[in-house]
PDB file of all heavy atoms in Angstrom:
ATOM      1  N   LYS A 364     130.506 139.869 121.319  1.00 96.00           N
ATOM      2  CA  LYS A 364     130.654 140.486 122.655  1.00 96.00           C
ATOM      3  C   LYS A 364     130.523 141.991 122.583  1.00 96.00           C
ATOM      4  O   LYS A 364     130.004 142.622 123.486  1.00 96.00           O
ATOM      5  CB  LYS A 364     132.034 140.093 123.261  1.00 96.00           C
ATOM      6  CG  LYS A 364     132.092 138.630 123.715  1.00 96.00           C
ATOM      7  CD  LYS A 364     132.256 138.542 125.240  1.00 96.00           C
ATOM      8  CE  LYS A 364     131.955 137.188 125.772  1.00 96.00           C
ATOM      9  NZ  LYS A 364     133.052 136.211 125.643  1.00 96.00           N
ATOM     10  N   LYS A 365     131.037 142.559 121.498  1.00 96.00           N
ATOM     11  CA  LYS A 365     131.001 144.046 121.328  1.00 96.00           C
ATOM     12  C   LYS A 365     129.550 144.499 121.193  1.00 96.00           C
ATOM     13  O   LYS A 365     129.180 145.541 121.765  1.00 96.00           O
ATOM     14  CB  LYS A 365     131.769 144.401 120.025  1.00 96.00           C
ATOM     15  CG  LYS A 365     132.774 145.496 120.232  1.00 96.00           C
ATOM     16  CD  LYS A 365     133.604 145.713 119.007  1.00 96.00           C
ATOM     17  CE  LYS A 365     133.867 147.193 118.851  1.00 96.00           C
ATOM     18  NZ  LYS A 365     134.663 147.474 117.699  1.00 96.00           N
ATOM     19  N   ILE A 366     128.752 143.728 120.507  1.00 97.00           N
ATOM     20  CA  ILE A 366     127.345 144.079 120.351  1.00 97.00           C
ATOM     21  C   ILE A 366     126.628 143.984 121.696  1.00 97.00           C
ATOM     22  O   ILE A 366     125.830 144.838 122.034  1.00 97.00           O
ATOM     23  CB  ILE A 366     126.662 143.167 119.285  1.00 97.00           C
ATOM     24  CG1 ILE A 366     127.378 143.337 117.984  1.00 97.00           C
ATOM     25  CG2 ILE A 366     125.161 143.517 119.159  1.00 97.00           C
ATOM     26  CD1 ILE A 366     126.944 142.336 116.976  1.00 97.00           C
ATOM     27  N   ILE A 367     126.969 142.920 122.430  1.00 97.00           N
ATOM     28  CA  ILE A 367     126.321 142.748 123.726  1.00 97.00           C
ATOM     29  C   ILE A 367     126.651 143.990 124.597  1.00 97.00           C
ATOM     30  O   ILE A 367     125.783 144.557 125.226  1.00 97.00           O
ATOM     31  CB  ILE A 367     126.854 141.445 124.406  1.00 97.00           C
ATOM     32  CG1 ILE A 367     126.550 140.238 123.520  1.00 97.00           C
ATOM     33  CG2 ILE A 367     126.366 141.309 125.851  1.00 97.00           C
ATOM     34  CD1 ILE A 367     125.592 139.216 124.022  1.00 97.00           C
ATOM     35  N   ASN A 368     127.896 144.407 124.580  1.00 97.00           N
ATOM     36  CA  ASN A 368     128.284 145.592 125.406  1.00 97.00           C
ATOM     37  C   ASN A 368     127.513 146.833 124.960  1.00 97.00           C
ATOM     38  O   ASN A 368     127.016 147.587 125.759  1.00 97.00           O
ATOM     39  CB  ASN A 368     129.785 145.845 125.294  1.00 97.00           C
ATOM     40  CG  ASN A 368     130.581 144.789 125.990  1.00 97.00           C
ATOM     41  OD1 ASN A 368     130.009 144.062 126.822  1.00 97.00           O
ATOM     42  ND2 ASN A 368     131.859 144.622 125.655  1.00 97.00           N
ATOM     43  N   ALA A 369     127.449 146.981 123.627  1.00 97.00           N
ATOM     44  CA  ALA A 369     126.736 148.180 123.083  1.00 97.00           C
ATOM     45  C   ALA A 369     125.288 148.206 123.499  1.00 97.00           C
ATOM     46  O   ALA A 369     124.704 149.180 123.879  1.00 97.00           O
ATOM     47  CB  ALA A 369     126.898 148.240 121.581  1.00 97.00           C
ATOM     48  N   LEU A 370     124.640 146.998 123.436  1.00 98.00           N
ATOM     49  CA  LEU A 370     123.225 146.915 123.807  1.00 98.00           C
ATOM     50  C   LEU A 370     123.027 147.206 125.280  1.00 98.00           C
ATOM     51  O   LEU A 370     122.131 147.963 125.649  1.00 98.00           O
ATOM     52  CB  LEU A 370     122.717 145.476 123.524  1.00 98.00           C
ATOM     53  CG  LEU A 370     122.472 145.151 122.056  1.00 98.00           C
ATOM     54  CD1 LEU A 370     122.261 143.658 121.871  1.00 98.00           C
ATOM     55  CD2 LEU A 370     121.210 145.893 121.517  1.00 98.00           C
ATOM     56  N   GLU A 371     123.929 146.670 126.121  1.00 97.00           N
ATOM     57  CA  GLU A 371     123.793 146.883 127.549  1.00 97.00           C
ATOM     58  C   GLU A 371     123.988 148.359 127.893  1.00 97.00           C
ATOM     59  O   GLU A 371     123.280 148.905 128.749  1.00 97.00           O
ATOM     60  CB  GLU A 371     124.764 146.013 128.318  1.00 97.00           C
ATOM     61  CG  GLU A 371     124.581 144.561 127.965  1.00 97.00           C
ATOM     62  CD  GLU A 371     124.430 143.608 129.135  1.00 97.00           C
ATOM     63  OE1 GLU A 371     125.327 143.644 129.957  1.00 97.00           O
ATOM     64  OE2 GLU A 371     123.431 142.845 129.178  1.00 97.00           O
ATOM     65  N   LYS A 372     124.895 149.023 127.145  1.00 97.00           N
ATOM     66  CA  LYS A 372     125.142 150.445 127.362  1.00 97.00           C
ATOM     67  C   LYS A 372     123.867 151.255 127.058  1.00 97.00           C
ATOM     68  O   LYS A 372     123.585 152.259 127.668  1.00 97.00           O
ATOM     69  CB  LYS A 372     126.275 150.897 126.454  1.00 97.00           C
ATOM     70  CG  LYS A 372     127.407 151.581 127.242  1.00 97.00           C
ATOM     71  CD  LYS A 372     128.627 151.763 126.458  1.00 97.00           C
ATOM     72  CE  LYS A 372     128.766 153.190 125.924  1.00 97.00           C
ATOM     73  NZ  LYS A 372     129.896 153.285 125.000  1.00 97.00           N
ATOM     74  N   GLU A 373     123.105 150.746 126.104  1.00 97.00           N
ATOM     75  CA  GLU A 373     121.839 151.452 125.718  1.00 97.00           C
ATOM     76  C   GLU A 373     120.670 151.024 126.596  1.00 97.00           C
ATOM     77  O   GLU A 373     119.526 151.349 126.329  1.00 97.00           O
ATOM     78  CB  GLU A 373     121.496 151.130 124.277  1.00 97.00           C
ATOM     79  CG  GLU A 373     122.468 151.648 123.254  1.00 97.00           C
ATOM     80  CD  GLU A 373     122.171 153.131 122.843  1.00 97.00           C
ATOM     81  OE1 GLU A 373     121.012 153.551 123.024  1.00 97.00           O
ATOM     82  OE2 GLU A 373     123.093 153.832 122.421  1.00 97.00           O
ATOM     83  N   GLY A 374     120.938 150.160 127.580  1.00 97.00           N
ATOM     84  CA  GLY A 374     119.894 149.773 128.510  1.00 97.00           C
ATOM     85  C   GLY A 374     119.118 148.517 128.128  1.00 97.00           C
ATOM     86  O   GLY A 374     118.021 148.258 128.665  1.00 97.00           O
ATOM     87  N   PHE A 375     119.662 147.727 127.194  1.00 98.00           N
ATOM     88  CA  PHE A 375     119.010 146.465 126.772  1.00 98.00           C
ATOM     89  C   PHE A 375     119.832 145.281 127.253  1.00 98.00           C
ATOM     90  O   PHE A 375     120.880 145.020 126.703  1.00 98.00           O
ATOM     91  CB  PHE A 375     118.836 146.411 125.288  1.00 98.00           C
ATOM     92  CG  PHE A 375     117.947 147.447 124.691  1.00 98.00           C
ATOM     93  CD1 PHE A 375     118.501 148.554 124.057  1.00 98.00           C
ATOM     94  CD2 PHE A 375     116.590 147.334 124.810  1.00 98.00           C
ATOM     95  CE1 PHE A 375     117.664 149.542 123.532  1.00 98.00           C
ATOM     96  CE2 PHE A 375     115.715 148.312 124.276  1.00 98.00           C
ATOM     97  CZ  PHE A 375     116.284 149.433 123.654  1.00 98.00           C
TER      98      PHE A 375
END
Side-chain angles (χ1 to χ4, degrees):
K364 286 247 166 80
K365 229 174 144 180
I366 300 170
I367 302 245
N368 290 341
L370 285 167
E371 303 231 306
K372 236 168 99 187
E373 293 275 338
F375 296 103

